[in-house]
Amino acid sequence: INVINGGAHAANPLDFEDFMLVPHGAPSFREAIRWSAEVFYTLQDTLRRVGHVTAVGDEGGYAAEFWTPEDALATMVAAIESTGYRPGKDISLAIDVAGSNLRARKLYEFHKSDRPAATTDEMIAMLEHLASRFPILSIEDGLADDDWAGWKALTARLGDTVILVGDDLFATHADAIQRGIDEHVANAT
């Protein structure tokens, strides 16, 4: 469930595109939707209380003025806890980095937040840090769709613990799925 938008989906300083809830601990689809709705509205109350805008972005998540993914993820974890659910047990987190939108001149550039540009290795280290600090179950498009060596390294470092969705990597190239299998790149499409 998409709850915070950034990147191309919102006029805020977040460079990553989507921040989502994954209610994997729910006993049914109906309960998963209810849990997510409860956290969504708790998140809205939390944002209002600290003075954030609660307008929504293009994909329905809040377009709050977060400057870092860490701030957005920490606020989501707080909303999960405030609603009475256990982060990482009942509800985990997912992010869509939209890495292809960040890559220029072999670097990952953060034009919205003005973070320093990152090499592929630095980008992988950032994602690894986020996954170690927060209950992140899934990272979509963590790197650009032309960064195959980076994807291989990302998969080697996080592929055993995080679902690495190669959406742009595979959807934009017809022969890419077989290449991904052969080269052990990503672990989900």
Side-chain angles (χ1 to χ4, degrees):
I1 307 293
N2 193 331
V3 296
I4 295 175
N5 289 161
H9 295 301
N12 64 10
L14 279 174
D15 292 294
F16 291 5
E17 202 163 81
D18 298 312
F19 296 78
M20 299 162 277
L21 301 172
V22 183
H24 57 84
S28 68
F29 182 75
R30 168 182 274 213
E31 285 298 294
I33 296 296
R34 184 177 65 78
W35 290 10
S36 298
E38 290 172 353
V39 174
F40 184 80
Y41 289 109
T42 298
L43 179 59
Q44 181 182 56
D45 291 342
T46 302
L47 294 172
R48 281 187 180 143
R49 200 170 35 256
V50 297
H52 278 289
V53 172
T54 57
V56 294
D58 293 348
E59 294 195 348
Y62 297 112
E65 289 289 313
F66 291 111
W67 284 88
T68 68
E70 292 87 349
D71 290 342
L73 293 165
T75 303
M76 290 169 66
V77 167
I80 292 167
E81 291 171 338
S82 293
T83 311
Y85 298 108
R86 300 168 299 166
K89 302 285 186 208
D90 299 320
I91 301 175
S92 290
L93 307 176
I95 55 176
D96 181 351
V97 175
S100 294
N101 293 344
L102 302 176
R103 187 149 154 116
R105 298 180 300 276
K106 304 274 185 193
L107 291 172
Y108 291 90
E109 297 181 355
F110 306 99
H111 296 290
K112 293 179 77 177
S113 67
D114 292 327
R115 272 180 114 133
T119 64
T120 295
D121 288 340
E122 290 168 335
M123 189 70 174
I124 292 169
M126 179 191 315
L127 297 174
E128 194 170 34
H129 170 73
L130 292 174
S132 71
R133 185 169 169 211
F134 299 100
I136 294 176
L137 182 67
S138 172
I139 298 172
E140 181 179 341
D141 295 329
L143 298 172
D145 61 359
D146 65 349
D147 193 353
W148 280 86
W151 269 100
K152 188 167 184 158
L154 177 65
T155 304
R157 287 180 47 189
L158 288 178
D160 289 339
T161 57
V162 176
I163 298 168
L164 299 172
V165 181
D167 177 32
D168 291 343
L169 182 69
F170 299 124
T172 57
H173 309 285
D175 59 342
I177 292 177
Q178 188 59 52
R179 181 178 176 189
I181 292 167
D182 294 343
E183 295 183 27
H184 305 284
V185 168
N187 58 18
T189 58

